[in-house]
Protein backbone atom coordinates (compact mmCIF):
# COMPACT_ATOMS: atom_id res chain seq x y z
CA UNK A 1 0.00 0.00 0.00
CA UNK A 2 1.50 3.31 -1.01
CA UNK A 3 1.26 6.49 1.04
CA UNK A 4 -1.54 7.94 -1.11
CA UNK A 5 -3.72 4.90 -0.50
CA UNK A 6 -2.98 5.29 3.20
CA UNK A 7 -4.00 8.92 3.34
CA UNK A 8 -7.16 8.17 1.29
CA UNK A 9 -8.12 5.46 3.73
CA UNK A 10 -7.35 7.68 6.72
CA UNK A 11 -9.56 10.46 5.34
CA UNK A 12 -12.29 8.10 4.14
CA UNK A 13 -11.77 9.03 0.50
CA UNK A 14 -12.50 6.50 -2.25
CA UNK A 15 -9.50 5.49 -4.39
CA UNK A 16 -8.82 7.98 -7.17
CA UNK A 17 -10.16 7.06 -10.63
CA UNK A 18 -9.31 10.14 -12.72
CA UNK A 19 -6.18 11.24 -14.55
CA UNK A 20 -5.65 14.40 -12.48
CA UNK A 21 -6.86 13.08 -9.10
CA UNK A 22 -3.47 11.85 -7.88
CA UNK A 23 -2.19 15.46 -7.95
CA UNK A 24 -4.98 16.51 -5.62
CA UNK A 25 -4.24 13.52 -3.40
CA UNK A 26 -0.55 14.50 -3.31
CA UNK A 27 -1.42 18.02 -2.15
CA UNK A 28 -3.80 16.64 0.49
CA UNK A 29 -1.15 14.18 1.60
CA UNK A 30 1.59 16.80 1.80
CA UNK A 31 -0.70 19.20 3.72
CA UNK A 32 -1.47 16.52 6.28
CA UNK A 33 2.18 15.57 6.85
CA UNK A 34 3.11 19.25 7.02
CA UNK A 35 0.35 19.98 9.55
CA UNK A 36 1.42 16.91 11.57
CA UNK A 37 5.02 18.20 11.63
CA UNK A 38 3.83 21.65 12.74
CA UNK A 39 1.59 20.14 15.40
CA UNK A 40 4.33 18.01 16.92
CA UNK A 41 6.94 20.78 16.49
CA UNK A 42 4.86 23.50 18.17
CA UNK A 43 3.67 21.05 20.89
CA UNK A 44 7.28 20.11 21.72
CA UNK A 45 8.24 23.79 21.80
CA UNK A 46 5.29 24.59 24.08
CA UNK A 47 6.26 21.84 26.54
CA UNK A 48 9.92 22.96 26.42
CA UNK A 49 8.89 26.54 27.25
CA UNK A 50 6.69 25.40 30.14
CA UNK A 51 9.61 23.56 31.70
CA UNK A 52 12.43 25.92 30.81
CA UNK A 53 10.68 29.06 32.10
CA UNK A 54 8.94 27.52 35.09
CA UNK A 55 8.26 29.86 38.00
CA UNK A 56 10.61 28.09 40.43
CA UNK A 57 13.65 28.84 38.28
CA UNK A 58 12.47 32.19 36.85
CA UNK A 59 10.36 33.91 39.51
CA UNK A 60 10.45 37.28 37.68
CA UNK A 61 9.36 37.90 34.09
CA UNK A 62 12.00 38.92 31.56
CA UNK A 63 10.59 41.92 29.70
CA UNK A 64 13.19 41.70 26.94
CA UNK A 65 11.84 38.41 25.62
CA UNK A 66 13.45 36.17 23.01
CA UNK A 67 16.72 37.44 21.65
CA UNK A 68 17.54 34.75 19.11
CA UNK A 69 16.12 34.95 15.58
CA UNK A 70 15.23 31.27 15.36
CA UNK A 71 11.47 31.74 15.80
CA UNK A 72 11.41 34.38 13.05
CA UNK A 73 13.26 31.99 10.72
CA UNK A 74 10.89 29.15 11.59
CA UNK A 75 7.79 31.25 11.02
CA UNK A 76 9.17 32.54 7.73
CA UNK A 77 9.86 28.95 6.61
CA UNK A 78 6.27 27.95 7.37
CA UNK A 79 4.92 30.91 5.39
CA UNK A 80 7.28 30.07 2.51
CA UNK A 81 6.18 26.42 2.39
CA UNK A 82 2.52 27.44 2.44
CA UNK A 83 3.08 30.01 -0.31
CA UNK A 84 4.85 27.40 -2.49
CA UNK A 85 2.02 24.97 -1.89
CA UNK A 86 -0.60 27.53 -2.89
CA UNK A 87 1.16 29.34 -5.74
CA UNK A 88 3.25 26.44 -7.02
CA UNK A 89 0.79 23.57 -6.82
CA UNK A 90 -2.80 24.39 -5.85
CA UNK A 91 -3.46 27.39 -8.12
CA UNK A 92 -1.77 25.87 -11.25
CA UNK A 93 -3.77 22.65 -10.72
CA UNK A 94 -6.98 24.66 -10.42
CA UNK A 95 -6.04 26.78 -13.47
CA UNK A 96 -5.65 23.63 -15.59
CA UNK A 97 -9.15 22.51 -14.53
CA UNK A 98 -10.79 25.80 -15.51
CA UNK A 99 -8.65 27.08 -18.41
CA UNK A 100 -7.50 24.04 -20.34
CA UNK A 101 -10.63 22.26 -21.43
CA UNK A 102 -10.08 19.41 -23.89
CA UNK A 103 -11.01 20.24 -27.49
CA UNK A 104 -14.68 19.58 -28.26
CA UNK A 105 -14.07 16.74 -30.71
CA UNK A 106 -12.03 14.70 -28.21
CA UNK A 107 -14.31 15.17 -25.25
CA UNK A 108 -17.65 13.68 -24.42
CA UNK A 109 -19.97 16.55 -23.55
CA UNK A 110 -22.94 15.85 -21.29
CA UNK A 111 -25.42 18.32 -19.86
CA UNK A 112 -26.12 17.63 -16.21
CA UNK A 113 -29.38 19.19 -15.02
CA UNK A 114 -29.92 18.91 -11.28
CA UNK A 115 -33.30 19.03 -9.60
CA UNK A 116 -34.70 18.21 -6.18
CA UNK A 117 -33.61 15.41 -5.71
CA UNK A 118 -31.79 13.77 -8.59
CA UNK A 119 -29.45 14.46 -11.49
CA UNK A 120 -30.73 14.35 -15.09
CA UNK A 121 -28.40 13.84 -18.02
CA UNK A 122 -28.86 15.13 -21.55
CA UNK A 123 -26.65 13.52 -24.22
CA UNK A 124 -26.59 14.81 -27.80
CA UNK A 125 -27.12 11.42 -29.51
CA UNK A 126 -25.47 10.25 -32.77
CA UNK A 127 -25.72 13.67 -34.50
CA UNK A 128 -23.58 15.25 -31.77
CA UNK A 129 -26.02 18.18 -31.47
CA UNK A 130 -27.94 19.05 -28.35
CA UNK A 131 -31.61 19.70 -28.99
CA UNK A 132 -33.10 22.96 -27.78
CA UNK A 133 -34.50 22.93 -24.26
CA UNK A 134 -37.15 25.27 -22.96
CA UNK A 135 -38.80 25.42 -19.59
CA UNK A 136 -42.19 25.73 -21.34
CA UNK A 137 -41.92 22.12 -22.55
CA UNK A 138 -41.11 20.64 -19.14
CA UNK A 139 -43.55 17.87 -18.16
CA UNK A 140 -43.39 14.56 -16.34
CA UNK A 141 -42.54 12.76 -19.58
CA UNK A 142 -40.16 15.52 -20.72
CA UNK A 143 -38.26 16.42 -17.53
CA UNK A 144 -35.70 18.59 -19.33
CA UNK A 145 -38.14 20.42 -21.60
CA UNK A 146 -36.70 19.18 -24.92
CA UNK A 147 -38.27 21.03 -27.82
CA UNK A 148 -40.22 18.37 -29.82
CA UNK A 149 -40.02 20.57 -32.94
CA UNK A 150 -36.23 20.78 -32.96
CA UNK A 151 -34.75 18.15 -35.34
CA UNK A 152 -31.41 18.25 -33.45
CA UNK A 153 -33.19 16.92 -30.37
CA UNK A 154 -34.83 13.91 -32.07
CA UNK A 155 -31.96 11.52 -31.32
CA UNK A 156 -31.02 13.04 -27.97
CA UNK A 157 -30.78 10.80 -24.94
CA UNK A 158 -32.22 11.90 -21.62
CA UNK A 159 -31.59 9.77 -18.58
CA UNK A 160 -31.38 10.25 -14.86
CA UNK A 161 -29.69 8.65 -11.88
CA UNK A 162 -27.07 6.64 -13.75
CA UNK A 163 -24.66 7.88 -16.40
CA UNK A 164 -22.21 5.77 -18.39
CA UNK A 165 -18.99 7.21 -19.80
CA UNK A 166 -16.13 5.58 -21.71
CA UNK A 167 -12.78 5.09 -19.98
CA UNK A 168 -9.76 7.22 -20.94
CA UNK A 169 -11.82 9.81 -22.77
CA UNK A 170 -12.11 13.34 -21.37
CA UNK A 171 -15.59 14.15 -20.20
CA UNK A 172 -17.03 17.65 -19.96
CA UNK A 173 -20.09 17.97 -17.76
CA UNK A 174 -22.01 21.23 -18.17
CA UNK A 175 -23.90 21.81 -14.96
CA UNK A 176 -27.20 23.59 -14.47
CA UNK A 177 -30.22 23.26 -12.23
CA UNK A 178 -34.00 23.37 -12.54
CA UNK A 179 -34.73 24.64 -9.05
CA UNK A 180 -32.21 25.42 -6.31
CA UNK A 181 -28.41 25.36 -6.11
CA UNK A 182 -27.01 21.82 -6.12
CA UNK A 183 -23.44 20.58 -6.42
CA UNK A 184 -22.49 17.75 -8.76
CA UNK A 185 -19.70 15.98 -6.90
CA UNK A 186 -17.75 12.93 -8.04
CA UNK A 187 -15.49 12.02 -5.10
CA UNK A 188 -13.65 9.24 -6.94
CA UNK A 189 -12.90 11.61 -9.84
CA UNK A 190 -11.76 14.35 -7.42
CA UNK A 191 -13.99 16.88 -9.14
CA UNK A 192 -17.25 18.70 -8.51
CA UNK A 193 -19.04 21.92 -9.34
CA UNK A 194 -22.09 23.91 -8.38
CA UNK A 195 -25.24 23.49 -10.44
CA UNK A 196 -26.95 26.88 -10.40
CA UNK A 197 -30.30 27.74 -12.03
CA UNK A 198 -29.71 29.98 -15.05
CA UNK A 199 -25.97 29.18 -15.28
CA UNK A 200 -24.02 26.65 -17.30
CA UNK A 201 -20.89 25.67 -15.37
CA UNK A 202 -18.53 23.24 -17.12
CA UNK A 203 -16.24 20.82 -15.28
CA UNK A 204 -14.00 18.23 -16.88
CA UNK A 205 -12.02 15.13 -16.01
CA UNK A 206 -10.73 11.95 -17.62
CA UNK A 207 -11.77 8.69 -15.97
CA UNK A 208 -8.91 6.19 -16.07
CA UNK A 209 -10.40 3.14 -14.32
CA UNK A 210 -13.53 1.23 -15.26
CA UNK A 211 -16.04 0.66 -12.50
CA UNK A 212 -19.04 2.11 -10.76
CA UNK A 213 -18.60 5.37 -8.83
CA UNK A 214 -20.78 7.40 -6.53
CA UNK A 215 -22.25 10.75 -7.56
CA UNK A 216 -23.49 12.94 -4.73
CA UNK A 217 -25.01 16.35 -4.28
CA UNK A 218 -22.58 18.41 -2.19
CA UNK A 219 -24.83 21.39 -1.57
CA UNK A 220 -27.57 21.33 1.04
CA UNK A 221 -30.55 21.64 -1.31
CA UNK A 222 -33.59 20.62 0.76
CA UNK A 223 -34.83 17.90 3.07
CA UNK A 224 -34.21 15.18 0.46
CA UNK A 225 -30.57 16.28 -0.05
CA UNK A 226 -29.24 13.25 1.85
CA UNK A 227 -30.73 10.94 -0.78
CA UNK A 228 -29.56 12.88 -3.83
CA UNK A 229 -27.15 10.27 -5.08
CA UNK A 230 -26.41 8.73 -8.43
CA UNK A 231 -23.95 6.47 -10.18
CA UNK A 232 -21.27 7.12 -12.75
CA UNK A 233 -20.34 3.94 -14.57
CA UNK A 234 -17.01 4.03 -16.40
CA UNK A 235 -17.22 1.51 -19.24
CA UNK A 236 -14.86 0.08 -21.80
CA UNK A 237 -15.56 1.71 -25.20
CA UNK A 238 -17.50 -1.41 -26.34
CA UNK A 239 -19.69 -1.45 -23.22
CA UNK A 240 -20.29 2.28 -23.60
CA UNK A 241 -21.48 1.85 -27.19
CA UNK A 242 -23.79 -0.94 -26.06
CA UNK A 243 -25.23 1.32 -23.32
CA UNK A 244 -25.71 4.19 -25.79
CA UNK A 245 -27.56 1.85 -28.15
CA UNK A 246 -29.77 0.61 -25.34
CA UNK A 247 -30.57 4.14 -24.15
CA UNK A 248 -31.31 5.30 -27.71
CA UNK A 249 -33.75 2.39 -28.17
CA UNK A 250 -35.34 3.12 -24.82
CA UNK A 251 -35.78 6.82 -25.47
CA UNK A 252 -37.38 5.95 -28.84
CA UNK A 253 -39.96 3.65 -27.28
CA UNK A 254 -40.51 5.34 -23.94
CA UNK A 255 -43.85 7.10 -24.10
CA UNK A 256 -45.26 6.50 -20.63
CA UNK A 257 -44.64 9.48 -18.38
CA UNK A 258 -42.28 8.87 -15.52
CA UNK A 259 -43.76 9.42 -12.05
CA UNK A 260 -43.34 12.92 -10.65
CA UNK A 261 -40.51 13.46 -8.25
CA UNK A 262 -41.70 12.65 -4.75
CA UNK A 263 -41.01 15.32 -2.21
CA UNK A 264 -40.04 13.66 1.06
CA UNK A 265 -42.24 13.95 4.11
CA UNK A 266 -41.76 17.29 5.82
CA UNK A 267 -40.59 19.09 2.67
CA UNK A 268 -42.88 22.11 2.13
CA UNK A 269 -45.11 22.00 -0.98
CA UNK A 270 -43.99 23.84 -4.09
CA UNK A 271 -44.85 27.51 -3.73
CA UNK A 272 -44.11 30.19 -1.18
CA UNK A 273 -42.84 28.87 2.12
CA UNK A 274 -45.57 29.00 4.77
CA UNK A 275 -45.17 32.02 6.94
CA UNK A 276 -43.38 34.16 4.36
CA UNK A 277 -44.72 37.63 3.79
CA UNK A 278 -45.52 38.29 0.12
CA UNK A 279 -43.91 41.38 -1.38
CA UNK A 280 -46.14 44.46 -1.87
CA UNK A 281 -48.34 44.09 -4.94
CA UNK A 282 -47.87 40.29 -5.17
CA UNK A 283 -50.93 38.32 -6.33
CA UNK A 284 -52.96 36.78 -3.55
CA UNK A 285 -52.22 33.12 -2.84
CA UNK A 286 -54.72 30.72 -4.44
CA UNK A 287 -55.90 29.25 -1.15
CA UNK A 288 -56.95 32.66 0.20
CA UNK A 289 -60.61 31.86 -0.58
CA UNK A 290 -60.50 28.73 1.59
CA UNK A 291 -60.39 30.87 4.69
CA UNK A 292 -63.95 32.02 4.00
CA UNK A 293 -65.21 35.53 3.32
CA UNK A 294 -63.72 38.32 5.39
CA UNK A 295 -66.05 39.49 8.09
CA UNK A 296 -67.37 43.00 7.90
CA UNK A 297 -65.89 45.38 10.47
CA UNK A 298 -69.21 45.43 12.32
CA UNK A 299 -69.43 41.63 12.55
CA UNK A 300 -65.77 41.31 13.50
CA UNK A 301 -66.18 43.89 16.22
CA UNK A 302 -69.20 42.14 17.68
CA UNK A 303 -68.01 38.56 17.58
CA UNK A 304 -64.46 39.05 18.83
CA UNK A 305 -64.01 39.56 22.55
CA UNK A 306 -62.92 43.09 23.22
CA UNK A 307 -59.18 43.52 23.61
CA UNK A 308 -58.24 40.27 21.79
CA UNK A 309 -57.21 40.28 18.12
CA UNK A 310 -59.77 38.96 15.65
CA UNK A 311 -58.44 35.51 14.63
CA UNK A 312 -60.12 35.71 11.21
CA UNK A 313 -58.40 38.91 10.16
CA UNK A 314 -55.11 37.32 9.09
CU1 LIG B 1 -28.95 18.74 -4.41
Amino acid sequence: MNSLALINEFLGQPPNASSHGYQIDHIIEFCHWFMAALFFGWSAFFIFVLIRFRKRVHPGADHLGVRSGISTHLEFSVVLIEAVLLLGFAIPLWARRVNQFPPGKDALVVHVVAQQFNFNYHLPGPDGQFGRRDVGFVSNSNPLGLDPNDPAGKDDIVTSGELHVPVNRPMVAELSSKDVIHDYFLPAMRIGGDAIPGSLIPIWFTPVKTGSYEVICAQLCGLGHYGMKGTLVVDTPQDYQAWLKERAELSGTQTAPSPPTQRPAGEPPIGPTPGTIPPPGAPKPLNAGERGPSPSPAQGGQSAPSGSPNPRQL
Side-chain angles (χ1 to χ4, degrees):
M1 190 182 273
N2 63 27
S3 59
L4 278 182
L6 254 180
I7 200 89
N8 286 344
E9 201 177 6
F10 172 68
L11 296 174
Q13 290 202 109
N16 166 53
S18 72
S19 61
H20 75 281
Y22 74 96
Q23 295 170 297
I24 291 174
D25 287 359
H26 274 304
I27 293 183
I28 292 175
E29 186 197 21
F30 183 82
C31 284
H32 277 80
W33 285 123
F34 184 49
M35 289 303 131
L38 285 184
F39 173 75
F40 287 111
W42 293 142
S43 299
F45 177 70
F46 179 61
I47 292 165
F48 165 76
V49 167
L50 282 182
I51 297 168
R52 171 78 173 75
F53 300 106
R54 63 191 184 280
K55 196 179 174 188
R56 198 152 29 91
V57 182
H58 299 273
D62 179 356
H63 294 283
L64 266 179
V66 179
R67 265 154 280 181
S68 95
I70 188 156
S71 67
T72 312
H73 295 308
L74 273 175
E75 300 235 13
F76 181 75
S77 315
V78 170
V79 171
L80 193 70
I81 293 173
E82 285 175 355
V84 168
L85 212 55
L86 194 66
L87 302 174
F89 294 94
I91 291 177
L93 183 59
W94 169 245
R96 272 201 295 281
R97 282 299 99 199
V98 294
N99 290 336
Q100 297 175 10
F101 272 79
K105 58 182 187 338
D106 296 346
L108 171 78
V109 182
V110 176
H111 288 179
V112 179
V113 185
Q115 72 177 76
Q116 287 175 316
F117 295 96
N118 66 337
F119 291 108
N120 302 293
Y121 300 100
H122 180 190
L123 287 85
D127 68 352
Q129 301 248 321
F130 283 98
R132 205 175 77 84
R133 292 200 309 261
D134 190 286
V135 72
F137 295 112
V138 170
S139 66
N140 284 341
S141 58
N142 187 2
L144 295 187
L146 267 182
D147 183 350
N149 307 315
D150 183 6
K154 293 278 184 245
D155 61 347
D156 285 13
I157 295 169
V158 173
T159 177
S160 79
E162 185 176 292
L163 176 70
H164 287 236
V165 293
V167 71
N168 291 329
R169 183 170 170 197
M171 179 196 163
V172 177
E174 297 197 341
L175 314 178
S176 62
S177 169
K178 277 166 73 177
D179 37 45
V180 300
I181 299 177
H182 300 269
D183 188 292
Y184 186 69
F185 181 37
L186 302 159
M189 302 297 160
R190 305 290 191 264
I191 194 106
D194 273 359
I196 301 175
S199 296
L200 212 58
I201 299 174
I203 58 170
W204 76 278
F205 63 95
T206 307
V208 291
K209 264 189 239 167
T210 55
S212 210
Y213 303 100
E214 195 172 38
V215 176
I216 53 177
C217 177
Q219 191 73 262
L220 187 57
C221 58
L223 288 179
H225 162 71
Y226 68 93
M228 192 162 166
K229 291 179 174 186
T231 310
L232 181 86
V233 181
V234 179
D235 281 335
T236 59
Q238 298 80 17
D239 287 351
Y240 176 66
Q241 289 307 327
W243 178 80
L244 266 189
K245 200 161 157 261
E246 183 195 301
R247 291 313 310 178
E249 282 166 8
L250 267 178
S251 59
T253 55
Q254 219 171 27
T255 47
S258 55
T261 312
Q262 287 288 320
R263 292 173 81 81
E267 181 76 11
I270 294 167
T273 314
T276 51
I277 297 162
K284 286 204 163 162
L286 284 175
N287 59 356
E290 290 167 19
R291 292 178 188 150
S294 302
S296 70
Q299 282 171 332
Q302 282 162 2
S303 60
S306 64
S308 72
N310 183 352
R312 299 182 78 186
Q313 286 180 339
L314 293 172

